[in-house]
Structure formats: C-alpha cells, structure tokens
Amino acid sequence: MIKKISRKLEKIFSESSLYFKIYAAPYHRVVKREIELTKKHGNLKPPLLNIGCGSMPFTTYYLARETDLEVVAVDQDSEMTDLAKKTIKKLGLENKITVINKKASEIDFKEYQAVYTALHLKNKKKVYNQFMETAPQGSRFLVREPRKTFKNHYEELNNNSVDLVKHRLVTFDRTCLYIKD
C-alpha cells in the first residue's frame, strides 16, 4: 500500500521541478550523509550508480549536485525511467545524469566504485551478490534499511555491514555500507 501511494505521488510530482524539489527536500540530508559515509572509505570516482531511481530520482539529483560527478540512475520500470528522464531534463541535469531502464540484478558493476540503492529495491541479496561478483575491489555498496515497523513492506539485506549512518525518516532509519574485498 505504501509503495503504491508513493508511486502515484511520484508520478504526479514528476511533472513539476518545483514539486520535485519539495518532495526531494527531506532526502537532501540523507544523501549528503551517505556521500560522507562513502568518502570515509575511499575517494569518489565517476560514474556513481543509483539503483531504483523511480520517476523522482532525488537521490540521483543530490548525488550529482553534491559531488559534481556523473551519475547513472537505473530502474526496471520503463514508465518510471521515461518520467525520470523528463524530470532530469526539466532540472537541466541531462549532461550529468544518465537514466537507464534495466533490472538491478542484470547490472555489471565493473565500472562503478560507489552504488546507492533505494529502500524499495527488490531482491537486495541477489543484487548485492551480483555486486560482489562483478564490482572492482574496494567498491562500495550502500543499502537503505527499513525501520522495524516497515520490515514487512521493504526487504532488508541484513549482512554484516562495514559501517552505517543513521537517519530520522519515517520508513528507514539507516544506510549500511558494504565494501568489495
């Protein structure tokens, strides 16, 4: 139910750059803290990857804005990626952000040093395993994990993370960092 409501709101808000910025505002601090966590364990090198961007790619937006690096945004839903491309164009970031329609489990991570995943990502363990198989050594994988009250709505990776950062959002309370050995 939460995912369906979020999806509808995102489709509506993706029509306006003002609505996008209002909707995205609570995530600015989250993404800044995730960037700091990533940098704590090595330099950031382009391109960064955001998995599960949806039609409102606010994580992608803040990654590009805060790091000044190229960002690739991926979502498996073609309707969402079409809307995301329009949103990115409205924001004037089409030269910095590339939006791709693809299943996360099919990504070859060899060119990504830092991967940021959405809370709603499905098959987190499968995607994590794909990352561990194909990413370069030292690459970082960040996963937003649900609060206890939302564990029945969102998957939890729940491996032994190297580090984490805590958040005060309704649906998730932490981002866990994993590093490819």
Side-chain angles (χ1 to χ4, degrees):
M1 175 108 156
I2 292 170
K3 292 179 196 176
K4 286 181 182 180
I5 293 169
S6 295
R7 184 180 168 106
K8 284 183 182 182
L9 285 174
E10 286 185 9
K11 285 173 85 173
I12 293 166
F13 288 170
S14 70
E15 296 297 317
S16 161
S17 55
L18 174 63
Y19 285 151
F20 174 87
K21 290 176 182 177
I22 292 167
Y23 189 85
Y27 289 88
H28 189 194
R29 187 163 184 243
V30 169
V31 176
K32 280 180 90 165
R33 295 180 81 210
E34 290 172 341
I35 292 167
E36 290 169 8
L37 178 63
T38 310
K39 285 181 174 180
K40 183 177 166 185
H41 296 276
N43 294 327
L44 285 177
K45 297 176 186 171
L48 305 178
L49 178 64
N50 175 224
I51 301 174
C53 69
S55 64
M56 298 280 287
F58 40 83
T59 298
T60 305
Y61 168 76
Y62 286 127
L63 285 171
R65 206 174 100 187
E66 293 295 324
T67 66
D68 203 33
L69 296 174
E70 174 192 351
V71 182
V72 176
V74 176
D75 200 285
Q76 68 180 5
D77 185 323
S78 61
E79 182 184 10
M80 295 295 110
T81 54
D82 288 345
L83 289 168
K85 286 176 187 177
K86 289 177 186 175
T87 302
I88 294 303
K89 189 170 184 170
K90 284 178 190 170
L91 295 167
L93 292 170
E94 63 272 21
N95 293 331
K96 243 186 184 143
I97 296 171
T98 304
V99 180
I100 298 171
N101 176 235
K102 190 175 207 170
K103 286 185 178 182
S105 59
E106 296 172 356
I107 296 171
D108 184 345
F109 292 96
K110 70 181 175 208
E111 63 184 275
Y112 302 107
Q113 298 285 322
V115 178
Y116 300 82
T117 65
L119 173 65
H120 62 267
L121 177 65
K122 293 179 183 176
N123 301 313
K124 284 182 182 176
K125 288 186 188 219
K126 185 176 182 180
V127 175
Y128 170 81
N129 289 335
Q130 176 73 6
F131 169 83
M132 287 301 181
E133 285 178 26
T134 63
Q137 188 174 6
S139 294
R140 283 125 320 150
F141 189 79
L142 289 91
V143 180
R144 291 177 181 161
E145 297 285 22
R147 288 188 176 277
K148 287 180 183 177
T149 54
F150 289 95
K151 286 183 182 179
N152 58 335
H153 297 282
Y154 301 102
E155 285 181 41
E156 194 173 28
L157 183 58
N158 225 3
N159 287 10
N160 292 323
S161 64
V162 172
D163 205 348
L164 63 86
V165 62
K166 294 189 177 189
H167 308 293
R168 292 184 176 175
L169 274 90
V170 174
T171 53
F172 66 96
D173 59 359
R174 67 202 179 285
T175 299
C176 296
L177 173 83
Y178 302 90
I179 301 175
K180 165 104 180 250
D181 293 332

